[in-house]
Structure formats: C-alpha cells, structure tokens
Amino acid sequence: MLLAIDAGNTNVVFALVEAGEIHARWRIATDPRRTADEYAVWLSQLLGLEGFEMASVTAVIIGTVVPRALHNLQVLSAKYFNAEAVIAGQGEAGWGFQLDVEEPQNLGADRALNSIAAHAGHPGDLIVIDFGTAATFDVIDYTGAYKGGIIAPGINLSLDALVTAAAKLPRIAIEAPKGNLSVIGRNTVDQMHIGIYWGYVAMIEGLVARMKAEVGRPLKVIATGGLAVLFEKHTNVFDAIEPDLTIQGLWMLWKRGR
C-alpha cells in the first residue's frame, strides 16, 4: 500500500493507493510547524476508521510546493512507516518528461504531477487547470512535454483580498448560482456573488480561448482541484474533471521509479 502525500499551500492531502486505486484520502491544513508525531496521531485514527493499520503502508511518496513542510513528512515516513520517502522530482522519481520552459527548476511539483497523469490518461494536446490556492493553467503537448502556462489568484484568495480591502463588504460563501442566473445584482451580497463567481468563469473561458488560439491545434481541457466541480454546471469549457489528478501523478511516478 502506497501513502501518497500532496503538500499544497493550503492543504496536505494523504491518500492510500494500491494498484492505482485510491482506497481513502484525507486532508489537513498545511502547517510547516506540524510535527511527524502530530501527523502520526491524526493519521492512525483515520486509518483505523477506514479499516487499515499503520502497518498497511509499505511505501511513501511526497510531492510538495511547501519546502518547509518536507522535513516533518520525511520524518513521519521513516519513524512511523519504516520507509524512506520518495520525493517527487528527485532521484529515481525524476519527472521523466521535457520541461520546455525558461525556468524548469521553478515548476511546482503539483503542476508536474498533473502533467504526468493528464498525459497518461488523455492523448493529444492538453490544457490542465488546477483550482487550488492559485489557479494554474498548464499546456502539455501530444508528446507529454510541458510547454508553459498561467498562474492566477485562486477564487478563495480573490474573495479574501476583496473582503480584507473593502471594510463594508461581508464575507460570503463561494457557491454556484441557483435559479436566477442574472448578472445584474440587486443587493450587495448578490453583486459580490456575481463578481466572484461569474467573473471567475469569464476568466477561465477567456484564458482557455486565448491559449487555444495561440497553440493553434485542438486542445482538450482537463480540470482538477477541489473547486473544479463548482464551475462544471455553468461552463462547457471542461472536457473532463479529474479531482485526483495530482494523487494519480504521484502513484504513476512511484510506480515508474520502482
């Protein structure tokens, strides 16, 4: 059983993977100060709830965009799972595909992992959109090479900035509109919902259209990240939604390394 760990800026996702099948997944807020012992107490309880034991885990792979979180996750692997963690992008877990950009060393692990999994599951040229702390748009060509992309503020980040900077605006929940799809708000809360939600949909559709025009070949659009389903009903820009793309990439990278 593989424990795949995706350490992002907002959450750390832990997933139990066996033969490519995800048996369970859990997430916890990212905190670089969280110790290996704290992770272990939390994980042991969750494993037990799913009918597994700590001994069920025989290998660990970590992908992280938060360097300060890596050490404690490595200690967790060594101390509680008796396994040396494989680090995505390093050593035997090198990316294994061309990074055709000016600063390949700066590509986030999550984006590289998404590229691996998306290319394995979808032939041809791709745009992969990951809705996380930031929204990233990545172009992968038909050979699997990473060609570049876009980084934009995530929708929660945008809302936080708006509420923080404007004293009279209330904090609202981010949700897909129900019933009335008007884009002319009649009160403050409706106007905020429209600006955040439909503004984000317009950004997605506009950026994808520009990327497709620049590439000049058909591109399939794959969406991932926890908020991908939020936009599914109100745009036809996505060809597929795969919530576990990053975890799938970790599994594929670990399997290839073996």
Side-chain angles (χ1 to χ4, degrees), residues 94-109:
W95 298 131
F97 62 91
Q98 183 185 7
L99 298 176
D100 187 14
V101 289
E102 294 177 0
E103 300 174 335
Q105 72 279 5
N106 291 335
L107 181 66

Side-chain angles (χ1 to χ4, degrees), residues 61-86:
I61 184 168
I62 303 168
T64 181
V65 296
V66 185
R68 289 177 56 215
L70 179 58
H71 174 70
N72 286 328
L73 291 170
Q74 289 178 295
V75 173
L76 168 72
S77 178
K79 183 176 180 180
Y80 289 98
F81 298 111
N82 195 31
E84 181 180 353
V86 175

Side-chain angles (χ1 to χ4, degrees), residues 125-127 139 150 204-221 237:
D125 296 286
L126 305 172
I127 296 173
V139 175
I150 296 168
I204 295 164
E205 293 176 341
L207 290 178
V208 167
R210 286 176 176 270
M211 295 174 93
K212 287 183 173 181
E214 185 170 332
V215 172
R217 297 190 302 272
L219 287 157
K220 189 173 184 179
V221 180
V237 75

Side-chain angles (χ1 to χ4, degrees), residues 79-230:
K79 183 176 180 180
Y80 289 98
F81 298 111
N82 195 31
E84 181 180 353
V86 175
I87 310 303
Q90 298 180 18
E92 66 183 36
W95 298 131
F97 62 91
Q98 183 185 7
L99 298 176
D100 187 14
V101 289
E102 294 177 0
E103 300 174 335
Q105 72 279 5
N106 291 335
L107 181 66
D110 51 349
R111 301 171 77 181
L113 292 163
N114 290 344
S115 300
I116 291 170
H119 177 66
H122 302 275
D125 296 286
L126 305 172
I127 296 173
V128 178
I129 308 175
D130 190 345
F131 295 99
T133 305
T136 56
F137 298 67
D138 295 310
V139 175
I140 299 97
D141 75 7
Y142 61 93
T143 70
Y146 178 83
K147 306 299 286 186
I150 296 168
I151 302 173
I155 191 168
N156 280 304
L157 204 59
S158 298
L159 179 59
D160 287 345
L162 179 64
V163 172
T164 301
K168 292 186 69 175
L169 294 183
R171 179 161 295 279
I172 61 172
I174 297 174
E175 56 187 3
K178 300 179 180 67
N180 181 18
L181 300 183
S182 171
V183 292
I184 302 175
R186 304 279 289 174
N187 58 65
T188 298
V189 170
D190 284 350
Q191 290 172 16
M192 290 178 67
H193 275 129
I194 291 165
I196 291 292
Y197 186 85
W198 289 117
Y200 219 75
V201 169
M203 181 194 75
I204 295 164
E205 293 176 341
L207 290 178
V208 167
R210 286 176 176 270
M211 295 174 93
K212 287 183 173 181
E214 185 170 332
V215 172
R217 297 190 302 272
L219 287 157
K220 189 173 184 179
V221 180
I222 313 300
T224 190
L227 293 175
V229 295
L230 183 65

Side-chain angles (χ1 to χ4, degrees), residues 13-29:
V13 178
F14 295 79
L16 276 184
V17 190
E18 185 177 29
E21 180 183 354
I22 299 173
H23 290 293
R25 66 182 67 70
W26 311 282
R27 62 182 61 226
I28 191 170

